[in-house]
Amino acid sequence: MYYIGIDVGGTNLVAGLVDETGRILNKVSTPVAKNMTAEQFGAELVRMSRRLCEVGEIPFDKIETVGVGLPGAVDNKTGLFVQNPNMPFKDKNVPLREMFQKEWDVPVYLGNDANCAAVGEYWAGAAKGCDPAVVVTLGTGIGGGLVVGGKLFTGFANAGMEIGHMIIQPNGILCGCGGRGCWERYGSATALIQLTQLEMERSRDSKLWGLCDNDPSKVQGRTPFQAARLGDEAAKRVLANYLQGLSIGMINLVNILQPEIICLGGGVSNAEDDLLLNPLRELVWRGCFDKEHHVRIEKASLGNDAGVVGAALLCNLV
Ligand SMILES: [Zn+2]
């Protein structure tokens, strides 16, 4: 059985031909043109899907479903790409399923990118066989996906796992959503970079400075981990602070859902275990209500492929 999964990003579209186990048989990608319209976008998804079949020498009618993972709000019931902050076109409620099926009559599933990552990890990655499973993606913000009872949970109107906006600090840091104290202002890669920059101002002799050519705007998510590895005290303070914020949101997730596993994805999750996962496990396990049944906390295992695999296999979980 063959499935097509398309991972839509603000800069690149990646489509993959995937089998029922979640293995990627081949991939094609194309950059997002700066002035791409919604119509061109829809047409490009069809073109890439056909191209995959040609490259893989699979007849079009052997494709079970096409799944599209989108950076923004989607409604799989109506087939609409509801809203997006990340694409060149700003149209709301783009009828993506209808656009696709006009060209190719195949079942089309839509999901947001964080949910697709969860589907991928649950079906073929680190969360395989775990239920409930939560996948947390640490990037510009914090994305979340939840599989419970073998199905993706999205709430009654698709905003059910906007975990980045759970409030962990009353009157806390202002968030892009308009609220204050949202988790992603403390636990995302962006937050880690900001914490690092703040600490650098206080610690002029920190090794952090050398690692970014004395230019705080060059700090990356990996910078404080590199400095902590060199024994830098300022970097250790940054990480302690960051891990505390990150852990609070995870403790809340565990106390509400008691997932069997929380998988962490995004660039930050690539840090070495002794600096990230081990101290995080300690903090979360110690802070949870149930101290006997430990949630597993693991790195997401599919990396950049999670979006394609998850989009392709959305049909199994919605
Ligand atoms: Zn927010």
Side-chain angles (χ1 to χ4, degrees):
M1 303 229 273
Y2 300 104
Y3 303 83
I4 286 173
I6 308 176
D7 183 14
V8 175
T11 50
N12 271 299
L13 310 175
V14 184
L17 185 68
V18 173
D19 71 12
E20 69 278 3
T21 67
R23 196 161 59 98
I24 296 179
L25 305 171
N26 64 53
K27 266 199 281 197
V28 295
S29 74
T30 186
V32 175
K34 274 201 189 70
N35 50 1
M36 186 182 252
T37 64
E39 288 69 31
Q40 287 167 338
F41 171 65
E44 187 58 38
L45 299 186
V46 176
R47 193 196 65 80
M48 291 175 84
S49 300
R50 290 196 170 127
R51 181 90 194 108
L52 277 176
C53 293
E54 287 158 14
V55 173
E57 296 179 350
I58 307 288
F60 295 159
D61 62 4
K62 288 276 183 283
I63 300 297
E64 302 284 330
T65 66
V66 174
V68 189
L70 295 150
V74 303
D75 186 345
N76 184 57
K77 285 194 193 92
T78 55
L80 300 177
F81 185 11
V82 178
Q83 195 174 7
N84 87 80
N86 301 308
M87 302 300 291
F89 55 89
K90 293 298 163 209
D91 315 41
K92 289 188 176 174
N93 297 315
V94 175
L96 211 51
R97 179 184 292 140
E98 193 188 309
M99 286 159 94
F100 198 103
Q101 289 178 334
K102 233 183 255 173
E103 302 295 323
W104 180 354
D105 192 18
V106 60
V108 174
Y109 290 80
L110 307 181
N112 85 15
D113 45 12
N115 283 329
C116 288
V119 171
E121 293 295 334
Y122 172 74
W123 200 264
K128 199 169 176 176
C130 298
D131 198 330
V134 171
V135 175
V136 174
T137 307
L138 306 174
T140 313
I142 296 183
L146 165 66
V147 176
V148 57
K151 294 290 171 193
L152 195 57
F153 176 89
T154 55
F156 87 92
N158 303 301
M161 277 298 280
E162 286 295 344
I163 57 175
H165 303 284
M166 85 166 87
I167 296 170
I168 65 164
Q169 174 81 57
N171 298 312
I173 305 172
L174 186 64
C175 177
C177 73
R180 283 190 177 273
C182 293
W183 187 29
E184 68 180 35
R185 303 303 295 119
Y186 301 83
S188 63
T190 311
L192 176 57
I193 289 166
Q194 286 166 345
L195 283 170
T196 306
Q197 290 164 335
L198 272 176
E199 182 62 39
M200 285 169 70
E201 278 167 34
R202 285 193 285 260
S203 310
R204 309 301 300 192
D205 56 351
S206 163
K207 291 192 170 72
L208 287 164
W209 286 96
L211 287 167
C212 63
D213 301 333
N214 293 312
D215 179 356
S217 73
K218 288 189 185 164
V219 170
Q220 295 180 306
R222 71 168 87 95
T223 311
F225 293 104
Q226 290 169 325
R229 177 61 66 223
L230 299 171
D232 186 68
E233 292 301 324
K236 288 183 193 171
R237 283 195 294 275
V238 169
L239 291 182
N241 213 337
Y242 173 70
L243 288 171
Q244 194 195 14
L246 184 56
S247 70
I248 292 174
M250 292 174 67
I251 290 165
N252 291 340
L253 286 170
V254 173
N255 287 343
I256 296 168
L257 302 166
Q258 196 171 43
E260 198 175 339
I261 189 167
I262 298 179
C263 292
L264 292 182
V268 170
S269 69
N270 293 322
E272 287 164 284
D273 286 2
D274 65 316
L275 294 178
L276 181 75
L277 285 191
N278 292 345
L280 194 56
R281 286 177 183 128
E282 284 299 316
L283 286 167
V284 174
W285 292 344
R286 211 188 315 138
C288 286
F289 178 77
D290 183 343
K291 293 184 175 49
E292 279 177 42
H293 306 94
H294 285 171
V295 59
R296 286 176 54 202
I297 297 175
E298 306 287 348
K299 219 170 272 190
S301 66
L302 299 181
N304 289 336
D305 288 337
V308 166
V309 174
L313 299 171
L314 261 178
C315 56
N316 295 315
L317 272 78
V318 297

